[in-house]
Amino acid sequence: MLSAVALSACAPDSVAQQYLEGSDKGYISAELTVSEIAPDERGEPVEFAGVTEHGDEFTSSEIAGDVTVVNFWYAACGPCRVEAKDLEAVWQQYEDQDVSFVGVNTYDQPDTARAFAEEYGITYPSLIDVDSGDAKLAFAKVTPIQATPTTLVLDKQGRVAARIIGQLDGPSILSTLVGDALAESA
C-alpha cells in the first residue's frame, strides 16, 4: 500500500511538465462555453470584496444596481492575454451605461497585475485574490470557477446571469450578454 502511495506521488503532473518545458501555459484550458441563466433560475446575489492592484479597498456594494462583468484571469495565462483587448472594448462600449467591470486576478501580485493592465490597455480595476481567494470563493458558492479565464455577467441585482468559460473569441458575445442584462427590468 505504501509503495502505491509513493508511486502516485511521482505521477506526471501536466501543468508542472508544461512549466518544465517552458511552454508558459500554466492555465487550465477549456473550450469556449457560454451559458445564460434565466432570471427565475438565478441564485442569490454575490457579495464580494477585495483589494485592487492599486491598493484600494473594493466591495460589490459600490457597484450595486449595475450590470457587472467579472473576469477571472492572471498575467501568464495565454488566453487571458488574447482576450484582454476584447474585454476592454466591451468595457469602453458600456462604461457610461450603468455597467461595471472588475477583474479578479487569481495568481499575481499587484505589480504584475499593474504591468499587465498597462501593457494591454486595461482601464478597469482588478482584485488581487491570490493570497486570500475570497472573491473566487464568493462566486464558487453559486457557479463553478474551474478554468481560467472565466467571465461572468451579473444582473442588476448582482446575480450571475451568464457565464463564459474559456477565452472570448471577440467582443460580440460578451457585448450581447451585457446588453441583454441591461435590457432586463431591475
Side-chain angles (χ1 to χ4, degrees), residues 73-136:
W73 70 281
Y74 63 93
C77 160
C80 300
R81 295 174 184 181
V82 173
E83 75 174 9
K85 69 180 179 344
D86 296 328
L87 287 159
E88 182 65 22
V90 177
W91 164 234
Q92 293 295 323
Q93 177 184 356
Y94 285 105
E95 71 176 318
D96 296 327
Q97 301 181 41
D98 297 325
V99 173
S100 294
F101 270 58
V102 178
V104 176
N105 187 303
T106 60
Y107 186 78
D108 302 314
Q109 294 299 323
D111 288 346
T112 304
R114 285 192 303 269
F116 181 95
E118 184 176 321
E119 181 175 346
Y120 292 94
I122 302 300
T123 61
Y124 54 86
S126 282
L127 303 180
I128 302 300
D129 205 43
V130 63
D131 294 327
S132 71
D134 290 343
K136 188 174 179 181

Side-chain angles (χ1 to χ4, degrees), residues 44-52 56-73 99-106 124-129 132-143 145 150-161:
E44 293 297 315
V46 180
E47 295 179 14
F48 62 104
V51 177
T52 71
D56 300 322
E57 295 286 332
F58 172 88
T59 177
S60 56
S61 64
E62 296 173 28
I63 56 174
D66 284 1
V67 168
T68 302
V69 173
V70 181
N71 176 255
F72 293 84
W73 70 281
V99 173
S100 294
F101 270 58
V102 178
V104 176
N105 187 303
T106 60
Y124 54 86
S126 282
L127 303 180
I128 302 300
D129 205 43
S132 71
D134 290 343
K136 188 174 179 181
L137 182 60
F139 285 96
K141 294 175 184 176
V142 296
T143 190
I145 309 295
T150 292
T151 304
L152 305 175
V153 177
L154 309 182
D155 65 15
K156 296 172 187 174
Q157 291 80 37
R159 303 174 304 166
V160 177

